[in-house]
Amino acid sequence: MSVDDWLSDTRTSYDTVAVSYAHLVRDLLAQSPYERAALALFAELVDAAGGGSVADVGCGTGRITAHLHTLGVDAFGIDLSPGMIAVARRDHPGLRFEVGSMTDLDLADGSVTGLIAWYSLIHIPDDQLGAVLAHFRRVVRPGGPLLLGFHVGDETTRKTEGYGGHPMSVDVHRRQPEQVAARLRTSGFRVESQTTLTSPESKLGGIIFGRRDPDPGGGTRSSAGGR
């Protein structure tokens, strides 16, 4: 499947489920103390890095973007789905939300203090993950924090229905934390913490804190167009 094909399927799927998705996930953080703790720590790391804007990439209907704002983070959201962005703007007026793709992230180099991708890498195929992480590194300023949440496992499954019974057509990629951590290191991030947990967010979720390596000579770098 070409990049255009799976991106189009993902966009259409989330356009279809946007309203139901917002309703179903709205209160998940209230039931997820460990995720709230991770987000609070991320907010502290952003503040310690000097503050500034933070990109919530794959923001969906904006619940994480909005929560970060309650923690004092100047967060804005980017999502592939115009339908999800429309709901985010409706539910969180006054916050910044943009349509965009993490495979071609339209942000200037070093333009954000930090970046979060909260269960939004799950539809990125393995052969595209390096390019996405290279974009993440490119837009985060040196020393800036990164927070990833993802489903843990070893398999890829096809999701044909979800969020209120609506039709979908997306692959869900589950990965082991050390596999994701290794890809981050290759892409120019230091991995500072990784953990797994069970919660309403995920039957088994991985959370990784990283930081853009400020040393231009440290580690292998993937080019933005690499695979």
Side-chain angles (χ1 to χ4, degrees):
M1 182 181 293
S2 72
V3 174
D4 288 343
D5 287 342
W6 68 261
L7 281 175
S8 178
D9 285 348
T10 303
R11 181 185 298 110
T12 299
S13 293
Y14 279 97
D15 281 348
T16 300
V17 304
V19 173
S20 295
Y21 177 92
H23 174 72
L24 290 169
V25 305
R26 182 170 288 119
D27 297 324
L28 282 185
L29 275 180
Q31 308 168 46
S32 307
Y34 294 104
E35 281 85 352
R36 293 199 309 274
L39 294 168
L41 175 56
F42 179 68
E44 289 186 22
L45 295 174
V46 170
D47 184 63
S53 62
V54 166
D56 178 7
V57 181
C59 67
T61 52
R63 67 190 181 96
I64 300 300
T65 315
H67 183 75
L68 289 173
H69 264 267
T70 69
L71 300 174
V73 178
D74 181 18
F76 65 95
I78 300 172
D79 199 89
L80 179 67
S81 162
M84 298 288 258
I85 290 297
V87 174
R89 289 170 175 166
R90 180 200 71 187
D91 290 351
H92 310 289
L95 300 188
R96 173 185 165 194
F97 294 101
E98 302 173 356
V99 176
S101 174
M102 66 178 71
T103 62
D104 188 19
L105 201 53
D106 189 19
L107 295 172
D109 295 2
S111 59
V112 297
T113 299
L115 186 147
I116 180 170
W118 194 251
Y119 293 96
S120 59
L121 290 174
I122 62 173
H123 303 306
I124 303 296
D126 285 342
D127 65 353
Q128 301 294 318
L129 188 58
V132 168
L133 295 178
H135 275 298
F136 287 3
R137 181 185 183 277
R138 177 182 62 78
V139 304
V140 176
R141 73 189 193 193
L146 173 80
L147 175 59
L148 302 182
F150 53 95
H151 297 309
V152 172
D154 298 296
E155 71 284 345
T156 294
T157 56
R158 189 70 175 172
K159 189 177 184 69
T160 59
E161 180 181 300
Y163 307 110
H166 297 287
M168 300 185 74
S169 180
V170 292
D171 286 333
V172 178
H173 304 281
R174 294 172 174 82
R175 298 179 171 104
Q176 293 296 331
E178 189 49 52
Q179 176 188 6
V180 178
R183 297 297 292 268
L184 281 173
R185 294 184 185 102
T186 300
S187 299
F189 288 94
R190 296 199 312 267
V191 174
E192 297 188 336
S193 175
Q194 62 188 70
T195 189
T196 58
L197 49 85
T198 59
S199 73
E201 296 273 1
S202 179
K203 292 180 180 178
L204 183 60
I207 293 177
I208 293 182
F209 285 88
R211 193 176 297 273
R212 179 184 162 176
D213 194 336
D215 178 7
T220 303
R221 302 292 184 255
S222 297
S223 69
R227 293 291 182 265

